[in-house]
Amino acid sequence: MLFLGALLLWALTRPFDANGRVLHLYSCFWAQLYFYVNPMWHLRVEGRERLPWKGAAVLVANHESLGDILVLFGLYRPFKWVSKAENFKLPLIGWNMRLNRYVPLIRGDRASIIQMMAGCRHWLSRGVPILMFPEGTRSHDGQVKAFKDGAFTLSIQERCPIIPVVLTGTARTMPKHGLILQQAVHARVRVLEPIDPEAFGGDVHALRDHVRDVIIREKARMEAER
């Protein structure tokens, strides 16, 4: 039923909503239903006001589990996901991703990476933020892994801010290689201040390492606040 609603909304809004913002916000509601209907799942979002409704930006978040997808839809702001290409093949959910024109990626495939970067540049040029997991895959132990360059290259080349997003508590929803949804979840998201890439003089690695350090420090602070 939710996919049928998405299909109807896509058909009705496509003529006047070329960037698909309305459908994306509907998809946010769809994902958040898992929290709304489950009294044992709790989500707290902080700093949402730092996210733009319009304007290019590269959102980067640490990646603990599949549950991160549900949680980040709780940002309720327009953006395009960069996601594994196989996710687009999933019934209903994957079809909705296609309707939203999110950006697919085959990890390790050079041609796919080039195509993904082009897709991201397209959306950024239209003033639509993108969201990426710079670790490239989920962490198996909750520790922030090394970051890949793609998000930071885009930020510097397109001259748009990086916005770090820090997640905690999501590893329990569905850990890597796990198929069991935990009964009780207390997830938390904190959106940090945008980082201007101009301050790094075109140095992708310096920007990448700075953002990773910021996310690691904030994640430790959030976990200490529990």
Side-chain angles (χ1 to χ4, degrees), residues 10-57:
W10 170 82
L12 292 174
T13 60
R14 185 67 186 270
F16 63 86
D17 184 20
N19 292 331
R21 286 186 168 91
V22 175
L23 179 59
H24 173 79
L25 293 174
Y26 173 86
S27 300
C28 292
F29 170 75
W30 179 346
Q32 288 298 287
L33 279 176
Y34 292 91
F35 286 91
Y36 298 153
V37 303
N38 188 340
M40 300 295 290
W41 278 29
H42 304 278
L43 172 61
R44 179 179 174 186
V45 179
E46 304 168 3
R48 185 186 284 117
E49 68 279 359
R50 295 186 174 120
L51 296 173
W53 279 103
K54 292 183 180 180

mmCIF file of all heavy atoms in Angstrom, residues 10-57:
data_model
loop_
_atom_site.group_PDB
_atom_site.id
_atom_site.type_symbol
_atom_site.label_atom_id
_atom_site.label_comp_id
_atom_site.label_asym_id
_atom_site.label_seq_id
_atom_site.Cartn_x
_atom_site.Cartn_y
_atom_site.Cartn_z
ATOM 1 N N TRP A 10 4.291 10.095 -7.093
ATOM 2 C CA TRP A 10 5.270 10.354 -8.167
ATOM 3 C C TRP A 10 4.562 10.854 -9.428
ATOM 4 O O TRP A 10 4.988 11.833 -10.043
ATOM 5 C CB TRP A 10 6.047 9.078 -8.452
ATOM 6 C CG TRP A 10 6.902 9.148 -9.679
ATOM 7 C CD1 TRP A 10 8.144 9.704 -9.785
ATOM 8 C CD2 TRP A 10 6.568 8.649 -10.987
ATOM 9 N NE1 TRP A 10 8.619 9.586 -11.063
ATOM 10 C CE2 TRP A 10 7.673 8.944 -11.830
ATOM 11 C CE3 TRP A 10 5.472 7.984 -11.518
ATOM 12 C CZ2 TRP A 10 7.688 8.596 -13.179
ATOM 13 C CZ3 TRP A 10 5.492 7.632 -12.856
ATOM 14 C CH2 TRP A 10 6.579 7.938 -13.676
ATOM 15 N N ALA A 11 3.464 10.185 -9.798
ATOM 16 C CA ALA A 11 2.742 10.559 -11.011
ATOM 17 C C ALA A 11 2.117 11.955 -10.891
ATOM 18 O O ALA A 11 2.123 12.733 -11.846
ATOM 19 C CB ALA A 11 1.664 9.523 -11.310
ATOM 20 N N LEU A 12 1.617 12.276 -9.703
ATOM 21 C CA LEU A 12 0.926 13.554 -9.511
ATOM 22 C C LEU A 12 1.897 14.739 -9.405
ATOM 23 O O LEU A 12 1.566 15.855 -9.816
ATOM 24 C CB LEU A 12 0.056 13.497 -8.259
ATOM 25 C CG LEU A 12 -1.168 12.568 -8.314
ATOM 26 C CD1 LEU A 12 -1.843 12.503 -6.952
ATOM 27 C CD2 LEU A 12 -2.152 13.042 -9.377
ATOM 28 N N THR A 13 3.072 14.498 -8.829
ATOM 29 C CA THR A 13 3.975 15.619 -8.535
ATOM 30 C C THR A 13 5.080 15.797 -9.565
ATOM 31 O O THR A 13 5.712 16.857 -9.596
ATOM 32 C CB THR A 13 4.630 15.437 -7.154
ATOM 33 O OG1 THR A 13 5.392 14.207 -7.150
ATOM 34 C CG2 THR A 13 3.571 15.389 -6.061
ATOM 35 N N ARG A 14 5.313 14.808 -10.408
ATOM 36 C CA ARG A 14 6.419 14.904 -11.368
ATOM 37 C C ARG A 14 6.349 16.162 -12.250
ATOM 38 O O ARG A 14 7.380 16.790 -12.515
ATOM 39 C CB ARG A 14 6.460 13.640 -12.238
ATOM 40 C CG ARG A 14 7.652 13.572 -13.190
ATOM 41 C CD ARG A 14 8.948 13.427 -12.413
ATOM 42 N NE ARG A 14 10.112 13.500 -13.294
ATOM 43 C CZ ARG A 14 10.668 12.455 -13.881
ATOM 44 N NH1 ARG A 14 10.162 11.240 -13.693
ATOM 45 N NH2 ARG A 14 11.726 12.599 -14.644
ATOM 46 N N PRO A 15 5.157 16.597 -12.701
ATOM 47 C CA PRO A 15 5.118 17.770 -13.583
ATOM 48 C C PRO A 15 5.625 19.063 -12.939
ATOM 49 O O PRO A 15 6.138 19.939 -13.630
ATOM 50 C CB PRO A 15 3.631 17.881 -13.951
ATOM 51 C CG PRO A 15 3.092 16.504 -13.781
ATOM 52 C CD PRO A 15 3.833 15.951 -12.599
ATOM 53 N N PHE A 16 5.470 19.214 -11.609
ATOM 54 C CA PHE A 16 5.873 20.469 -10.967
ATOM 55 C C PHE A 16 6.975 20.297 -9.928
ATOM 56 O O PHE A 16 7.450 21.284 -9.345
ATOM 57 C CB PHE A 16 4.659 21.146 -10.304
ATOM 58 C CG PHE A 16 4.043 20.350 -9.184
ATOM 59 C CD1 PHE A 16 4.524 20.448 -7.895
ATOM 60 C CD2 PHE A 16 2.966 19.501 -9.435
ATOM 61 C CE1 PHE A 16 3.952 19.723 -6.853
ATOM 62 C CE2 PHE A 16 2.386 18.767 -8.409
ATOM 63 C CZ PHE A 16 2.884 18.877 -7.115
ATOM 64 N N ASP A 17 7.413 19.070 -9.695
ATOM 65 C CA ASP A 17 8.444 18.803 -8.689
ATOM 66 C C ASP A 17 9.563 17.991 -9.351
ATOM 67 O O ASP A 17 9.727 16.802 -9.096
ATOM 68 C CB ASP A 17 7.837 18.056 -7.496
ATOM 69 C CG ASP A 17 8.839 17.833 -6.361
ATOM 70 O OD1 ASP A 17 9.848 18.560 -6.311
ATOM 71 O OD2 ASP A 17 8.616 16.919 -5.545
ATOM 72 N N ALA A 18 10.327 18.675 -10.202
ATOM 73 C CA ALA A 18 11.327 17.986 -11.024
ATOM 74 C C ALA A 18 12.411 17.314 -10.196
ATOM 75 O O ALA A 18 13.018 16.327 -10.639
ATOM 76 C CB ALA A 18 11.959 18.978 -12.003
ATOM 77 N N ASN A 19 12.667 17.812 -8.993
ATOM 78 C CA ASN A 19 13.714 17.236 -8.151
ATOM 79 C C ASN A 19 13.199 16.158 -7.201
ATOM 80 O O ASN A 19 13.973 15.577 -6.448
ATOM 81 C CB ASN A 19 14.410 18.339 -7.349
ATOM 82 C CG ASN A 19 15.222 19.257 -8.246
ATOM 83 O OD1 ASN A 19 15.721 18.849 -9.294
ATOM 84 N ND2 ASN A 19 15.343 20.519 -7.847
ATOM 85 N N GLY A 20 11.893 15.909 -7.211
ATOM 86 C CA GLY A 20 11.332 14.821 -6.410
ATOM 87 C C GLY A 20 11.352 15.053 -4.917
ATOM 88 O O GLY A 20 11.396 14.099 -4.140
ATOM 89 N N ARG A 21 11.265 16.308 -4.496
ATOM 90 C CA ARG A 21 11.313 16.590 -3.058
ATOM 91 C C ARG A 21 10.095 16.035 -2.326
ATOM 92 O O ARG A 21 10.212 15.506 -1.220
ATOM 93 C CB ARG A 21 11.416 18.104 -2.836
ATOM 94 C CG ARG A 21 12.783 18.680 -3.153
ATOM 95 C CD ARG A 21 12.864 20.160 -2.774
ATOM 96 N NE ARG A 21 14.249 20.639 -2.801
ATOM 97 C CZ ARG A 21 14.827 21.179 -3.859
ATOM 98 N NH1 ARG A 21 14.130 21.309 -4.989
ATOM 99 N NH2 ARG A 21 16.078 21.587 -3.818
ATOM 100 N N VAL A 22 8.918 16.142 -2.927
ATOM 101 C CA VAL A 22 7.694 15.670 -2.261
ATOM 102 C C VAL A 22 7.748 14.162 -2.073
ATOM 103 O O VAL A 22 7.442 13.638 -0.989
ATOM 104 C CB VAL A 22 6.444 16.076 -3.075
ATOM 105 C CG1 VAL A 22 5.189 15.469 -2.447
ATOM 106 C CG2 VAL A 22 6.315 17.593 -3.144
ATOM 107 N N LEU A 23 8.146 13.431 -3.104
ATOM 108 C CA LEU A 23 8.230 11.976 -2.997
ATOM 109 C C LEU A 23 9.270 11.573 -1.961
ATOM 110 O O LEU A 23 9.062 10.616 -1.200
ATOM 111 C CB LEU A 23 8.569 11.367 -4.359
ATOM 112 C CG LEU A 23 8.705 9.841 -4.378
ATOM 113 C CD1 LEU A 23 7.412 9.169 -3.926
ATOM 114 C CD2 LEU A 23 9.104 9.354 -5.773
ATOM 115 N N HIS A 24 10.380 12.279 -1.908
ATOM 116 C CA HIS A 24 11.405 11.955 -0.911
ATOM 117 C C HIS A 24 10.853 12.137 0.504
ATOM 118 O O HIS A 24 11.090 11.296 1.383
ATOM 119 C CB HIS A 24 12.638 12.822 -1.111
ATOM 120 C CG HIS A 24 13.662 12.664 -0.026
ATOM 121 N ND1 HIS A 24 14.544 11.599 0.019
ATOM 122 C CD2 HIS A 24 13.928 13.420 1.077
ATOM 123 C CE1 HIS A 24 15.310 11.702 1.091
ATOM 124 N NE2 HIS A 24 14.948 12.796 1.747
ATOM 125 N N LEU A 25 10.126 13.219 0.745
ATOM 126 C CA LEU A 25 9.563 13.439 2.073
ATOM 127 C C LEU A 25 8.530 12.375 2.419
ATOM 128 O O LEU A 25 8.415 11.954 3.578
ATOM 129 C CB LEU A 25 8.967 14.843 2.161
ATOM 130 C CG LEU A 25 9.987 15.985 2.096
ATOM 131 C CD1 LEU A 25 9.275 17.336 2.045
ATOM 132 C CD2 LEU A 25 10.952 15.939 3.279
ATOM 133 N N TYR A 26 7.777 11.923 1.413
ATOM 134 C CA TYR A 26 6.867 10.796 1.638
ATOM 135 C C TYR A 26 7.668 9.555 2.031
ATOM 136 O O TYR A 26 7.265 8.790 2.924
ATOM 137 C CB TYR A 26 6.052 10.533 0.375
ATOM 138 C CG TYR A 26 5.194 9.289 0.435
ATOM 139 C CD1 TYR A 26 3.915 9.326 0.981
ATOM 140 C CD2 TYR A 26 5.653 8.074 -0.065
ATOM 141 C CE1 TYR A 26 3.125 8.182 1.042
ATOM 142 C CE2 TYR A 26 4.876 6.927 -0.021
ATOM 143 C CZ TYR A 26 3.609 6.982 0.536
ATOM 144 O OH TYR A 26 2.839 5.851 0.587
ATOM 145 N N SER A 27 8.798 9.343 1.366
ATOM 146 C CA SER A 27 9.646 8.192 1.682
ATOM 147 C C SER A 27 10.206 8.299 3.093
ATOM 148 O O SER A 27 10.388 7.280 3.779
ATOM 149 C CB SER A 27 10.783 8.084 0.660
ATOM 150 O OG SER A 27 10.269 7.929 -0.649
ATOM 151 N N CYS A 28 10.485 9.532 3.534
ATOM 152 C CA CYS A 28 10.908 9.737 4.923
ATOM 153 C C CYS A 28 9.822 9.257 5.885
ATOM 154 O O CYS A 28 10.105 8.549 6.868
ATOM 155 C CB CYS A 28 11.206 11.217 5.176
ATOM 156 S SG CYS A 28 12.660 11.862 4.327
ATOM 157 N N PHE A 29 8.589 9.621 5.587
ATOM 158 C CA PHE A 29 7.474 9.184 6.434
ATOM 159 C C PHE A 29 7.343 7.663 6.414
ATOM 160 O O PHE A 29 7.142 7.035 7.462
ATOM 161 C CB PHE A 29 6.181 9.836 5.941
ATOM 162 C CG PHE A 29 4.941 9.271 6.578
ATOM 163 C CD1 PHE A 29 4.613 9.596 7.886
ATOM 164 C CD2 PHE A 29 4.121 8.403 5.866
ATOM 165 C CE1 PHE A 29 3.473 9.062 8.486
ATOM 166 C CE2 PHE A 29 2.986 7.864 6.464
ATOM 167 C CZ PHE A 29 2.660 8.198 7.775
ATOM 168 N N TRP A 30 7.467 7.057 5.242
ATOM 169 C CA TRP A 30 7.388 5.604 5.100
ATOM 170 C C TRP A 30 8.417 4.944 6.015
ATOM 171 O O TRP A 30 8.095 4.030 6.792
ATOM 172 C CB TRP A 30 7.641 5.251 3.632
ATOM 173 C CG TRP A 30 7.627 3.800 3.274
ATOM 174 C CD1 TRP A 30 7.675 2.728 4.115
ATOM 175 C CD2 TRP A 30 7.586 3.242 1.953
ATOM 176 N NE1 TRP A 30 7.671 1.549 3.412
ATOM 177 C CE2 TRP A 30 7.613 1.843 2.095
ATOM 178 C CE3 TRP A 30 7.535 3.807 0.675
ATOM 179 C CZ2 TRP A 30 7.598 0.995 0.984
ATOM 180 C CZ3 TRP A 30 7.516 2.963 -0.413
ATOM 181 C CH2 TRP A 30 7.543 1.572 -0.264
ATOM 182 N N ALA A 31 9.665 5.397 5.957
ATOM 183 C CA ALA A 31 10.720 4.802 6.774
ATOM 184 C C ALA A 31 10.479 5.025 8.259
ATOM 185 O O ALA A 31 10.736 4.146 9.094
ATOM 186 C CB ALA A 31 12.069 5.379 6.365
ATOM 187 N N GLN A 32 9.976 6.208 8.609
ATOM 188 C CA GLN A 32 9.782 6.521 10.015
ATOM 189 C C GLN A 32 8.602 5.777 10.641
ATOM 190 O O GLN A 32 8.480 5.718 11.866
ATOM 191 C CB GLN A 32 9.591 8.024 10.186
ATOM 192 C CG GLN A 32 10.874 8.822 9.975
ATOM 193 C CD GLN A 32 11.939 8.467 10.982
ATOM 194 O OE1 GLN A 32 11.868 8.825 12.156
ATOM 195 N NE2 GLN A 32 12.953 7.733 10.528
ATOM 196 N N LEU A 33 7.741 5.208 9.814
ATOM 197 C CA LEU A 33 6.637 4.410 10.357
ATOM 198 C C LEU A 33 7.134 3.282 11.256
ATOM 199 O O LEU A 33 6.462 2.894 12.207
ATOM 200 C CB LEU A 33 5.795 3.823 9.220
ATOM 201 C CG LEU A 33 4.756 4.743 8.592
ATOM 202 C CD1 LEU A 33 4.079 4.055 7.418
ATOM 203 C CD2 LEU A 33 3.715 5.175 9.617
ATOM 204 N N TYR A 34 8.332 2.758 10.949
ATOM 205 C CA TYR A 34 8.888 1.687 11.782
ATOM 206 C C TYR A 34 9.103 2.167 13.211
ATOM 207 O O TYR A 34 8.981 1.386 14.164
ATOM 208 C CB TYR A 34 10.207 1.192 11.188
ATOM 209 C CG TYR A 34 10.038 0.474 9.881
ATOM 210 C CD1 TYR A 34 10.111 1.157 8.672
ATOM 211 C CD2 TYR A 34 9.794 -0.899 9.844
ATOM 212 C CE1 TYR A 34 9.947 0.500 7.466
ATOM 213 C CE2 TYR A 34 9.626 -1.569 8.641
ATOM 214 C CZ TYR A 34 9.704 -0.855 7.454
ATOM 215 O OH TYR A 34 9.543 -1.507 6.259
ATOM 216 N N PHE A 35 9.429 3.447 13.370
ATOM 217 C CA PHE A 35 9.587 4.010 14.708
ATOM 218 C C PHE A 35 8.251 4.423 15.290
ATOM 219 O O PHE A 35 8.007 4.271 16.497
ATOM 220 C CB PHE A 35 10.534 5.216 14.659
ATOM 221 C CG PHE A 35 11.976 4.830 14.469
ATOM 222 C CD1 PHE A 35 12.516 4.732 13.195
ATOM 223 C CD2 PHE A 35 12.787 4.546 15.558
ATOM 224 C CE1 PHE A 35 13.838 4.371 13.019
ATOM 225 C CE2 PHE A 35 14.111 4.171 15.386
ATOM 226 C CZ PHE A 35 14.644 4.088 14.111
ATOM 227 N N TYR A 36 7.368 4.956 14.458
ATOM 228 C CA TYR A 36 6.083 5.429 14.957
ATOM 229 C C TYR A 36 5.239 4.297 15.543
ATOM 230 O O TYR A 36 4.532 4.489 16.535
ATOM 231 C CB TYR A 36 5.290 6.112 13.837
ATOM 232 C CG TYR A 36 5.936 7.348 13.254
ATOM 233 C CD1 TYR A 36 5.673 7.749 11.954
ATOM 234 C CD2 TYR A 36 6.811 8.132 14.016
ATOM 235 C CE1 TYR A 36 6.263 8.890 11.410
ATOM 236 C CE2 TYR A 36 7.408 9.263 13.484
ATOM 237 C CZ TYR A 36 7.123 9.638 12.183
ATOM 238 O OH TYR A 36 7.702 10.750 11.644
ATOM 239 N N VAL A 37 5.290 3.113 14.921
ATOM 240 C CA VAL A 37 4.401 2.020 15.331
ATOM 241 C C VAL A 37 5.039 1.078 16.346
ATOM 242 O O VAL A 37 4.344 0.234 16.910
ATOM 243 C CB VAL A 37 3.910 1.210 14.110
ATOM 244 C CG1 VAL A 37 3.214 2.118 13.115
ATOM 245 C CG2 VAL A 37 5.055 0.451 13.443
ATOM 246 N N ASN A 38 6.354 1.203 16.559
ATOM 247 C CA ASN A 38 7.039 0.302 17.487
ATOM 248 C C ASN A 38 7.398 1.065 18.760
ATOM 249 O O ASN A 38 8.325 1.876 18.752
ATOM 250 C CB ASN A 38 8.307 -0.266 16.837
ATOM 251 C CG ASN A 38 8.943 -1.370 17.689
ATOM 252 O OD1 ASN A 38 8.688 -1.462 18.888
ATOM 253 N ND2 ASN A 38 9.777 -2.179 17.072
ATOM 254 N N PRO A 39 6.712 0.833 19.869
ATOM 255 C CA PRO A 39 6.978 1.589 21.094
ATOM 256 C C PRO A 39 8.352 1.306 21.703
ATOM 257 O O PRO A 39 8.806 2.049 22.569
ATOM 258 C CB PRO A 39 5.855 1.132 22.036
ATOM 259 C CG PRO A 39 5.454 -0.214 21.518
ATOM 260 C CD PRO A 39 5.622 -0.152 20.040
ATOM 261 N N MET A 40 9.021 0.239 21.220
ATOM 262 C CA MET A 40 10.338 -0.104 21.734
ATOM 263 C C MET A 40 11.475 0.539 20.940
ATOM 264 O O MET A 40 12.630 0.432 21.310
ATOM 265 C CB MET A 40 10.515 -1.629 21.726
ATOM 266 C CG MET A 40 9.518 -2.372 22.571
ATOM 267 S SD MET A 40 9.711 -1.982 24.329
ATOM 268 C CE MET A 40 11.261 -2.792 24.675
ATOM 269 N N TRP A 41 11.127 1.176 19.837
ATOM 270 C CA TRP A 41 12.136 1.861 19.017
ATOM 271 C C TRP A 41 12.008 3.365 19.211
ATOM 272 O O TRP A 41 10.934 3.938 19.028
ATOM 273 C CB TRP A 41 11.940 1.513 17.533
ATOM 274 C CG TRP A 41 12.547 0.199 17.142
ATOM 275 C CD1 TRP A 41 12.734 -0.890 17.926
ATOM 276 C CD2 TRP A 41 13.033 -0.152 15.851
ATOM 277 N NE1 TRP A 41 13.303 -1.907 17.214
ATOM 278 C CE2 TRP A 41 13.496 -1.486 15.931
ATOM 279 C CE3 TRP A 41 13.114 0.519 14.634
ATOM 280 C CZ2 TRP A 41 14.043 -2.157 14.837
ATOM 281 C CZ3 TRP A 41 13.649 -0.146 13.545
ATOM 282 C CH2 TRP A 41 14.115 -1.468 13.652
ATOM 283 N N HIS A 42 13.100 4.007 19.562
ATOM 284 C CA HIS A 42 13.100 5.435 19.836
ATOM 285 C C HIS A 42 14.189 6.110 19.002
ATOM 286 O O HIS A 42 15.292 5.589 18.872
ATOM 287 C CB HIS A 42 13.351 5.697 21.318
ATOM 288 C CG HIS A 42 12.383 5.004 22.230
ATOM 289 N ND1 HIS A 42 11.136 5.515 22.513
ATOM 290 C CD2 HIS A 42 12.471 3.819 22.888
ATOM 291 C CE1 HIS A 42 10.499 4.683 23.323
ATOM 292 N NE2 HIS A 42 11.290 3.648 23.560
ATOM 293 N N LEU A 43 13.861 7.266 18.472
ATOM 294 C CA LEU A 43 14.803 8.029 17.659
ATOM 295 C C LEU A 43 14.788 9.482 18.096
ATOM 296 O O LEU A 43 13.724 10.100 18.207
ATOM 297 C CB LEU A 43 14.443 7.937 16.170
ATOM 298 C CG LEU A 43 15.240 8.843 15.224
ATOM 299 C CD1 LEU A 43 16.727 8.502 15.274
ATOM 300 C CD2 LEU A 43 14.695 8.728 13.805
ATOM 301 N N ARG A 44 15.970 10.023 18.314
ATOM 302 C CA ARG A 44 16.133 11.434 18.676
ATOM 303 C C ARG A 44 17.021 12.100 17.624
ATOM 304 O O ARG A 44 18.131 11.632 17.367
ATOM 305 C CB ARG A 44 16.768 11.548 20.058
ATOM 306 C CG ARG A 44 17.002 12.973 20.544
ATOM 307 C CD ARG A 44 17.612 12.920 21.935
ATOM 308 N NE ARG A 44 18.004 14.235 22.412
ATOM 309 C CZ ARG A 44 18.673 14.428 23.547
ATOM 310 N NH1 ARG A 44 18.987 13.383 24.310
ATOM 311 N NH2 ARG A 44 19.012 15.641 23.925
ATOM 312 N N VAL A 45 16.522 13.161 17.005
ATOM 313 C CA VAL A 45 17.263 13.884 15.972
ATOM 314 C C VAL A 45 17.582 15.284 16.490
ATOM 315 O O VAL A 45 16.686 16.013 16.908
ATOM 316 C CB VAL A 45 16.460 13.971 14.660
ATOM 317 C CG1 VAL A 45 17.252 14.759 13.611
ATOM 318 C CG2 VAL A 45 16.131 12.579 14.132
ATOM 319 N N GLU A 46 18.857 15.642 16.441
ATOM 320 C CA GLU A 46 19.313 16.943 16.911
ATOM 321 C C GLU A 46 20.000 17.687 15.755
ATOM 322 O O GLU A 46 20.735 17.090 14.972
ATOM 323 C CB GLU A 46 20.303 16.777 18.064
ATOM 324 C CG GLU A 46 19.746 15.978 19.229
ATOM 325 C CD GLU A 46 20.830 15.573 20.223
ATOM 326 O OE1 GLU A 46 21.992 15.967 20.026
ATOM 327 O OE2 GLU A 46 20.505 14.848 21.169
ATOM 328 N N GLY A 47 19.775 18.968 15.661
ATOM 329 C CA GLY A 47 20.461 19.786 14.681
ATOM 330 C C GLY A 47 19.867 19.746 13.282
ATOM 331 O O GLY A 47 20.532 20.157 12.322
ATOM 332 N N ARG A 48 18.626 19.300 13.168
ATOM 333 C CA ARG A 48 17.984 19.226 11.845
ATOM 334 C C ARG A 48 17.966 20.583 11.146
ATOM 335 O O ARG A 48 18.034 20.663 9.921
ATOM 336 C CB ARG A 48 16.560 18.681 11.993
ATOM 337 C CG ARG A 48 15.862 18.448 10.675
ATOM 338 C CD ARG A 48 14.410 18.036 10.867
ATOM 339 N NE ARG A 48 14.269 16.658 11.288
ATOM 340 C CZ ARG A 48 13.750 16.283 12.453
ATOM 341 N NH1 ARG A 48 13.361 17.215 13.340
ATOM 342 N NH2 ARG A 48 13.621 15.012 12.761
ATOM 343 N N GLU A 49 17.906 21.653 11.936
ATOM 344 C CA GLU A 49 17.842 22.994 11.356
ATOM 345 C C GLU A 49 19.114 23.370 10.593
ATOM 346 O O GLU A 49 19.119 24.337 9.822
ATOM 347 C CB GLU A 49 17.584 24.029 12.460
ATOM 348 C CG GLU A 49 18.715 24.237 13.445
ATOM 349 C CD GLU A 49 18.780 23.171 14.542
ATOM 350 O OE1 GLU A 49 17.915 22.273 14.554
ATOM 351 O OE2 GLU A 49 19.686 23.260 15.390
ATOM 352 N N ARG A 50 20.181 22.614 10.755
ATOM 353 C CA ARG A 50 21.424 22.895 10.022
ATOM 354 C C ARG A 50 21.384 22.357 8.588
ATOM 355 O O ARG A 50 22.287 22.644 7.800
ATOM 356 C CB ARG A 50 22.609 22.278 10.761
ATOM 357 C CG ARG A 50 22.853 22.893 12.134
ATOM 358 C CD ARG A 50 24.116 22.355 12.774
ATOM 359 N NE ARG A 50 24.403 23.046 14.017
ATOM 360 C CZ ARG A 50 24.480 22.453 15.200
ATOM 361 N NH1 ARG A 50 24.299 21.148 15.299
ATOM 362 N NH2 ARG A 50 24.757 23.162 16.282
ATOM 363 N N LEU A 51 20.361 21.593 8.263
ATOM 364 C CA LEU A 51 20.249 21.025 6.922
ATOM 365 C C LEU A 51 19.454 21.953 6.020
ATOM 366 O O LEU A 51 18.433 22.496 6.424
ATOM 367 C CB LEU A 51 19.565 19.662 6.983
ATOM 368 C CG LEU A 51 20.315 18.581 7.756
ATOM 369 C CD1 LEU A 51 19.439 17.336 7.889
ATOM 370 C CD2 LEU A 51 21.625 18.234 7.070
ATOM 371 N N PRO A 52 19.891 22.128 4.776
ATOM 372 C CA PRO A 52 19.190 23.047 3.879
ATOM 373 C C PRO A 52 17.936 22.426 3.278
ATOM 374 O O PRO A 52 17.892 21.232 3.003
ATOM 375 C CB PRO A 52 20.233 23.311 2.786
ATOM 376 C CG PRO A 52 21.041 22.047 2.731
ATOM 377 C CD PRO A 52 21.100 21.559 4.155
ATOM 378 N N TRP A 53 16.919 23.240 3.061
ATOM 379 C CA TRP A 53 15.773 22.811 2.263
ATOM 380 C C TRP A 53 16.112 22.908 0.782
ATOM 381 O O TRP A 53 15.621 22.125 -0.030
ATOM 382 C CB TRP A 53 14.558 23.673 2.579
ATOM 383 C CG TRP A 53 13.840 23.261 3.826
ATOM 384 C CD1 TRP A 53 13.903 23.876 5.037
ATOM 385 C CD2 TRP A 53 12.967 22.138 3.999
ATOM 386 N NE1 TRP A 53 13.124 23.205 5.954
ATOM 387 C CE2 TRP A 53 12.526 22.138 5.341
ATOM 388 C CE3 TRP A 53 12.515 21.133 3.133
ATOM 389 C CZ2 TRP A 53 11.670 21.172 5.843
ATOM 390 C CZ3 TRP A 53 11.645 20.178 3.634
ATOM 391 C CH2 TRP A 53 11.233 20.190 4.971
ATOM 392 N N LYS A 54 16.959 23.872 0.445
ATOM 393 C CA LYS A 54 17.415 24.026 -0.926
ATOM 394 C C LYS A 54 18.888 24.402 -0.902
ATOM 395 O O LYS A 54 19.351 25.055 0.034
ATOM 396 C CB LYS A 54 16.622 25.114 -1.664
ATOM 397 C CG LYS A 54 15.168 24.763 -1.923
ATOM 398 C CD LYS A 54 14.474 25.865 -2.710
ATOM 399 C CE LYS A 54 13.015 25.511 -2.982
ATOM 400 N NZ LYS A 54 12.325 26.585 -3.753
ATOM 401 N N GLY A 55 19.610 23.999 -1.934
ATOM 402 C CA GLY A 55 21.023 24.343 -2.029
ATOM 403 C C GLY A 55 21.909 23.128 -1.935
ATOM 404 O O GLY A 55 21.625 22.188 -1.175
ATOM 405 N N ALA A 56 22.979 23.136 -2.709
ATOM 406 C CA ALA A 56 23.888 21.998 -2.759
ATOM 407 C C ALA A 56 24.609 21.804 -1.433
ATOM 408 O O ALA A 56 25.033 22.762 -0.791
ATOM 409 C CB ALA A 56 24.901 22.206 -3.886
ATOM 410 N N ALA A 57 24.730 20.546 -1.027
ATOM 411 C CA ALA A 57 25.489 20.174 0.160
ATOM 412 C C ALA A 57 25.766 18.677 0.078
ATOM 413 O O ALA A 57 24.993 17.928 -0.526
ATOM 414 C CB ALA A 57 24.726 20.503 1.441
#
